[in-house]
mmCIF file of all heavy atoms in Angstrom:
data_model
loop_
_atom_site.group_PDB
_atom_site.id
_atom_site.type_symbol
_atom_site.label_atom_id
_atom_site.label_comp_id
_atom_site.label_asym_id
_atom_site.label_seq_id
_atom_site.Cartn_x
_atom_site.Cartn_y
_atom_site.Cartn_z
ATOM 1 N N ARG A 626 49.644 23.753 -34.220
ATOM 2 C CA ARG A 626 50.080 23.140 -35.366
ATOM 3 C C ARG A 626 49.068 23.189 -36.352
ATOM 4 O O ARG A 626 49.294 23.312 -37.632
ATOM 5 C CB ARG A 626 50.464 21.650 -35.024
ATOM 6 C CG ARG A 626 51.759 21.555 -34.251
ATOM 7 C CD ARG A 626 52.250 20.149 -33.953
ATOM 8 N NE ARG A 626 51.471 19.379 -33.085
ATOM 9 C CZ ARG A 626 50.685 18.224 -33.475
ATOM 10 N NH1 ARG A 626 50.663 17.918 -34.701
ATOM 11 N NH2 ARG A 626 49.962 17.739 -32.606
ATOM 12 N N VAL A 627 47.759 23.123 -36.077
ATOM 13 C CA VAL A 627 46.743 23.128 -37.091
ATOM 14 C C VAL A 627 46.647 24.552 -37.618
ATOM 15 O O VAL A 627 46.563 24.687 -38.872
ATOM 16 C CB VAL A 627 45.474 22.810 -36.259
ATOM 17 C CG1 VAL A 627 44.163 23.290 -37.355
ATOM 18 C CG2 VAL A 627 45.271 21.460 -35.954
ATOM 19 N N SER A 628 46.835 25.632 -36.829
ATOM 20 C CA SER A 628 46.791 26.896 -37.292
ATOM 21 C C SER A 628 47.940 27.221 -38.331
ATOM 22 O O SER A 628 47.821 28.071 -39.260
ATOM 23 C CB SER A 628 46.910 27.965 -36.139
ATOM 24 O OG SER A 628 47.009 29.268 -36.630
ATOM 25 N N ALA A 629 49.176 26.566 -37.997
ATOM 26 C CA ALA A 629 50.260 26.724 -38.883
ATOM 27 C C ALA A 629 50.216 25.768 -40.102
ATOM 28 O O ALA A 629 51.120 25.824 -41.039
ATOM 29 C CB ALA A 629 51.563 26.530 -38.117
ATOM 30 N N GLY A 630 49.195 24.950 -40.228
ATOM 31 C CA GLY A 630 49.100 23.958 -41.330
ATOM 32 C C GLY A 630 49.919 22.897 -41.231
ATOM 33 O O GLY A 630 50.103 22.134 -42.143
ATOM 34 N N ARG A 631 50.616 22.583 -40.059
ATOM 35 C CA ARG A 631 51.343 21.305 -39.843
ATOM 36 C C ARG A 631 50.492 20.178 -39.241
ATOM 37 O O ARG A 631 51.036 19.035 -39.084
ATOM 38 C CB ARG A 631 52.428 21.658 -38.837
ATOM 39 C CG ARG A 631 53.402 22.776 -39.345
ATOM 40 C CD ARG A 631 54.715 22.782 -38.463
ATOM 41 N NE ARG A 631 54.372 22.853 -37.075
ATOM 42 C CZ ARG A 631 54.349 24.143 -36.536
ATOM 43 N NH1 ARG A 631 54.407 25.146 -37.187
ATOM 44 N NH2 ARG A 631 54.035 24.127 -35.205
ATOM 45 N N ALA A 632 49.230 20.231 -39.126
ATOM 46 C CA ALA A 632 48.355 19.181 -38.610
ATOM 47 C C ALA A 632 47.088 19.349 -39.463
ATOM 48 O O ALA A 632 46.643 20.440 -39.914
ATOM 49 C CB ALA A 632 48.122 19.225 -37.155
ATOM 50 N N GLU A 633 46.407 18.163 -39.726
ATOM 51 C CA GLU A 633 45.394 18.058 -40.774
ATOM 52 C C GLU A 633 44.120 18.642 -40.058
ATOM 53 O O GLU A 633 43.040 18.922 -40.663
ATOM 54 C CB GLU A 633 45.031 16.652 -41.120
ATOM 55 C CG GLU A 633 46.091 16.032 -41.983
ATOM 56 C CD GLU A 633 45.761 14.555 -42.317
ATOM 57 O OE1 GLU A 633 45.964 13.654 -41.619
ATOM 58 O OE2 GLU A 633 45.122 14.483 -43.456
ATOM 59 N N GLY A 634 44.022 18.818 -38.788
ATOM 60 C CA GLY A 634 42.853 19.277 -38.032
ATOM 61 C C GLY A 634 42.796 18.642 -36.676
ATOM 62 O O GLY A 634 43.586 17.826 -36.324
ATOM 63 N N ALA A 635 41.674 19.126 -35.988
ATOM 64 C CA ALA A 635 41.516 18.525 -34.697
ATOM 65 C C ALA A 635 40.047 18.363 -34.383
ATOM 66 O O ALA A 635 39.166 19.137 -34.805
ATOM 67 C CB ALA A 635 42.228 19.381 -33.601
ATOM 68 N N VAL A 636 39.752 17.302 -33.479
ATOM 69 C CA VAL A 636 38.325 17.189 -33.089
ATOM 70 C C VAL A 636 38.392 16.965 -31.559
ATOM 71 O O VAL A 636 39.264 16.203 -30.947
ATOM 72 C CB VAL A 636 37.800 15.768 -33.681
ATOM 73 C CG1 VAL A 636 36.286 15.626 -33.088
ATOM 74 C CG2 VAL A 636 37.662 15.872 -35.218
ATOM 75 N N VAL A 637 37.477 17.835 -30.879
ATOM 76 C CA VAL A 637 37.443 17.825 -29.440
ATOM 77 C C VAL A 637 36.078 17.279 -29.067
ATOM 78 O O VAL A 637 35.028 17.748 -29.649
ATOM 79 C CB VAL A 637 37.630 19.216 -28.897
ATOM 80 C CG1 VAL A 637 37.370 19.185 -27.313
ATOM 81 C CG2 VAL A 637 39.061 19.789 -29.182
ATOM 82 N N VAL A 638 36.053 16.303 -28.246
ATOM 83 C CA VAL A 638 34.945 15.577 -27.804
ATOM 84 C C VAL A 638 34.703 15.833 -26.318
ATOM 85 O O VAL A 638 35.556 15.475 -25.497
ATOM 86 C CB VAL A 638 34.919 14.019 -28.148
ATOM 87 C CG1 VAL A 638 33.615 13.419 -27.890
ATOM 88 C CG2 VAL A 638 35.403 13.871 -29.493
ATOM 89 N N PHE A 639 33.619 16.482 -25.925
ATOM 90 C CA PHE A 639 33.160 16.670 -24.531
ATOM 91 C C PHE A 639 32.188 15.530 -24.130
ATOM 92 O O PHE A 639 31.140 15.379 -24.793
ATOM 93 C CB PHE A 639 32.629 18.054 -24.356
ATOM 94 C CG PHE A 639 33.055 18.684 -23.102
ATOM 95 C CD1 PHE A 639 34.050 19.757 -23.059
ATOM 96 C CD2 PHE A 639 32.490 18.338 -21.934
ATOM 97 C CE1 PHE A 639 34.440 20.361 -21.932
ATOM 98 C CE2 PHE A 639 32.840 18.901 -20.683
ATOM 99 C CZ PHE A 639 33.809 20.018 -20.641
ATOM 100 N N ILE A 640 32.499 14.935 -22.984
ATOM 101 C CA ILE A 640 31.575 13.710 -22.584
ATOM 102 C C ILE A 640 31.236 14.026 -21.128
ATOM 103 O O ILE A 640 32.152 14.201 -20.261
ATOM 104 C CB ILE A 640 32.472 12.416 -22.615
ATOM 105 C CG1 ILE A 640 32.965 12.174 -24.131
ATOM 106 C CG2 ILE A 640 31.600 11.263 -22.251
ATOM 107 C CD1 ILE A 640 34.239 11.392 -24.189
ATOM 108 N N ASP A 641 30.018 13.996 -20.867
ATOM 109 C CA ASP A 641 29.506 14.135 -19.548
ATOM 110 C C ASP A 641 28.470 13.074 -19.184
ATOM 111 O O ASP A 641 27.453 12.774 -19.915
ATOM 112 C CB ASP A 641 28.792 15.519 -19.377
ATOM 113 C CG ASP A 641 28.439 15.906 -17.911
ATOM 114 O OD1 ASP A 641 27.201 15.465 -17.605
ATOM 115 O OD2 ASP A 641 29.234 16.456 -17.222
ATOM 116 N N LEU A 642 28.772 12.366 -18.091
ATOM 117 C CA LEU A 642 27.875 11.216 -17.716
ATOM 118 C C LEU A 642 26.535 11.620 -17.321
ATOM 119 O O LEU A 642 26.316 12.660 -16.765
ATOM 120 C CB LEU A 642 28.508 10.393 -16.565
ATOM 121 C CG LEU A 642 29.948 9.775 -16.907
ATOM 122 C CD1 LEU A 642 30.406 8.951 -15.655
ATOM 123 C CD2 LEU A 642 30.039 9.127 -18.094
ATOM 124 N N ASN A 643 25.471 10.767 -17.671
ATOM 125 C CA ASN A 643 24.098 11.073 -17.363
ATOM 126 C C ASN A 643 23.716 10.301 -16.080
ATOM 127 O O ASN A 643 24.122 9.209 -15.738
ATOM 128 C CB ASN A 643 23.062 10.581 -18.398
ATOM 129 C CG ASN A 643 23.406 11.365 -19.702
ATOM 130 O OD1 ASN A 643 23.846 12.474 -19.704
ATOM 131 N ND2 ASN A 643 22.865 10.768 -20.891
ATOM 132 N N GLY A 644 23.109 11.114 -15.116
ATOM 133 C CA GLY A 644 22.582 10.476 -13.840
ATOM 134 C C GLY A 644 23.774 10.016 -12.904
ATOM 135 O O GLY A 644 23.564 9.107 -12.125
ATOM 136 N N PHE A 645 24.918 10.664 -13.038
ATOM 137 C CA PHE A 645 26.092 10.187 -12.193
ATOM 138 C C PHE A 645 25.691 10.417 -10.669
ATOM 139 O O PHE A 645 26.002 9.681 -9.746
ATOM 140 C CB PHE A 645 27.275 10.879 -12.421
ATOM 141 C CG PHE A 645 28.509 10.495 -11.600
ATOM 142 C CD1 PHE A 645 29.038 9.256 -11.769
ATOM 143 C CD2 PHE A 645 29.047 11.304 -10.713
ATOM 144 C CE1 PHE A 645 30.161 8.855 -10.966
ATOM 145 C CE2 PHE A 645 30.153 10.977 -9.926
ATOM 146 C CZ PHE A 645 30.710 9.778 -10.121
ATOM 147 N N LYS A 646 25.048 11.538 -10.316
ATOM 148 C CA LYS A 646 24.636 11.806 -8.836
ATOM 149 C C LYS A 646 23.743 10.780 -8.420
ATOM 150 O O LYS A 646 23.967 10.312 -7.222
ATOM 151 C CB LYS A 646 24.030 13.167 -8.835
ATOM 152 C CG LYS A 646 23.714 13.623 -7.403
ATOM 153 C CD LYS A 646 23.080 14.953 -7.374
ATOM 154 C CE LYS A 646 22.746 15.372 -5.937
ATOM 155 N NZ LYS A 646 21.930 14.446 -5.155
ATOM 156 N N ALA A 647 22.812 10.248 -9.188
ATOM 157 C CA ALA A 647 21.916 9.267 -8.656
ATOM 158 C C ALA A 647 22.688 7.987 -8.396
ATOM 159 O O ALA A 647 22.359 7.171 -7.445
ATOM 160 C CB ALA A 647 20.835 8.956 -9.804
ATOM 161 N N ILE A 648 23.707 7.630 -9.205
ATOM 162 C CA ILE A 648 24.434 6.436 -8.978
ATOM 163 C C ILE A 648 25.265 6.548 -7.678
ATOM 164 O O ILE A 648 25.356 5.699 -6.930
ATOM 165 C CB ILE A 648 25.410 6.266 -10.166
ATOM 166 C CG1 ILE A 648 24.741 5.856 -11.382
ATOM 167 C CG2 ILE A 648 26.449 5.163 -9.826
ATOM 168 C CD1 ILE A 648 25.526 5.716 -12.658
ATOM 169 N N ASN A 649 25.817 7.821 -7.456
ATOM 170 C CA ASN A 649 26.510 8.051 -6.189
ATOM 171 C C ASN A 649 25.548 7.832 -4.966
ATOM 172 O O ASN A 649 25.948 7.203 -3.950
ATOM 173 C CB ASN A 649 27.109 9.404 -6.127
ATOM 174 C CG ASN A 649 28.640 9.467 -6.449
ATOM 175 O OD1 ASN A 649 29.271 8.390 -6.353
ATOM 176 N ND2 ASN A 649 29.063 10.617 -6.859
ATOM 177 N N ASP A 650 24.422 8.406 -5.065
ATOM 178 C CA ASP A 650 23.434 8.345 -4.058
ATOM 179 C C ASP A 650 22.969 6.983 -3.775
ATOM 180 O O ASP A 650 22.634 6.523 -2.587
ATOM 181 C CB ASP A 650 22.226 9.283 -4.254
ATOM 182 C CG ASP A 650 22.658 10.701 -4.296
ATOM 183 O OD1 ASP A 650 23.668 11.098 -3.751
ATOM 184 O OD2 ASP A 650 21.815 11.523 -4.873
ATOM 185 N N THR A 651 22.819 6.155 -4.876
ATOM 186 C CA THR A 651 22.307 4.777 -4.757
ATOM 187 C C THR A 651 23.333 3.773 -4.256
ATOM 188 O O THR A 651 23.026 2.966 -3.376
ATOM 189 C CB THR A 651 21.705 4.321 -6.055
ATOM 190 O OG1 THR A 651 20.671 5.226 -6.491
ATOM 191 C CG2 THR A 651 21.154 2.921 -5.966
ATOM 192 N N TYR A 652 24.484 3.836 -4.859
ATOM 193 C CA TYR A 652 25.483 2.844 -4.538
ATOM 194 C C TYR A 652 26.685 3.302 -3.665
ATOM 195 O O TYR A 652 27.458 2.480 -3.202
ATOM 196 C CB TYR A 652 26.088 2.285 -5.891
ATOM 197 C CG TYR A 652 25.036 1.645 -6.774
ATOM 198 C CD1 TYR A 652 24.602 2.328 -7.916
ATOM 199 C CD2 TYR A 652 24.542 0.376 -6.552
ATOM 200 C CE1 TYR A 652 23.664 1.790 -8.694
ATOM 201 C CE2 TYR A 652 23.577 -0.185 -7.329
ATOM 202 C CZ TYR A 652 23.137 0.532 -8.380
ATOM 203 O OH TYR A 652 22.182 -0.097 -9.161
ATOM 204 N N GLY A 653 26.694 4.670 -3.497
ATOM 205 C CA GLY A 653 27.816 5.138 -2.607
ATOM 206 C C GLY A 653 28.905 5.709 -3.522
ATOM 207 O O GLY A 653 29.048 5.476 -4.686
ATOM 208 N N HIS A 654 29.690 6.618 -2.796
ATOM 209 C CA HIS A 654 30.772 7.372 -3.458
ATOM 210 C C HIS A 654 31.895 6.395 -3.900
ATOM 211 O O HIS A 654 32.542 6.622 -4.907
ATOM 212 C CB HIS A 654 31.361 8.354 -2.607
ATOM 213 C CG HIS A 654 30.379 9.489 -2.342
ATOM 214 N ND1 HIS A 654 30.211 10.508 -3.412
ATOM 215 C CD2 HIS A 654 29.535 9.794 -1.425
ATOM 216 C CE1 HIS A 654 29.254 11.466 -2.958
ATOM 217 N NE2 HIS A 654 28.860 11.011 -1.722
ATOM 218 N N THR A 655 32.130 5.263 -3.150
ATOM 219 C CA THR A 655 33.176 4.320 -3.651
ATOM 220 C C THR A 655 32.764 3.767 -5.017
ATOM 221 O O THR A 655 33.564 3.536 -5.877
ATOM 222 C CB THR A 655 33.354 3.235 -2.527
ATOM 223 O OG1 THR A 655 33.681 3.786 -1.360
ATOM 224 C CG2 THR A 655 34.365 2.186 -3.066
ATOM 225 N N ALA A 656 31.460 3.325 -5.158
ATOM 226 C CA ALA A 656 31.062 2.773 -6.466
ATOM 227 C C ALA A 656 31.183 3.915 -7.554
ATOM 228 O O ALA A 656 31.496 3.598 -8.651
ATOM 229 C CB ALA A 656 29.665 2.309 -6.265
#
């Protein structure tokens, strides 16, 4: 739709958690 001019544009946001492995190791996979 953006390419055809039927939408004003698009923003893509990539989000990756910091230190997630440490949280898993400290509190467990359930946490």
Side-chain angles (χ1 to χ4, degrees):
R626 289 190 288 116
V627 172
S628 178
R631 296 195 304 271
E633 294 183 276
V636 178
V637 175
V638 189
F639 218 103
I640 305 153
D641 186 270
L642 304 186
N643 296 339
F645 181 70
K646 183 179 183 302
I648 293 172
N649 259 341
D650 293 342
T651 303
Y652 300 104
H654 289 282
T655 300

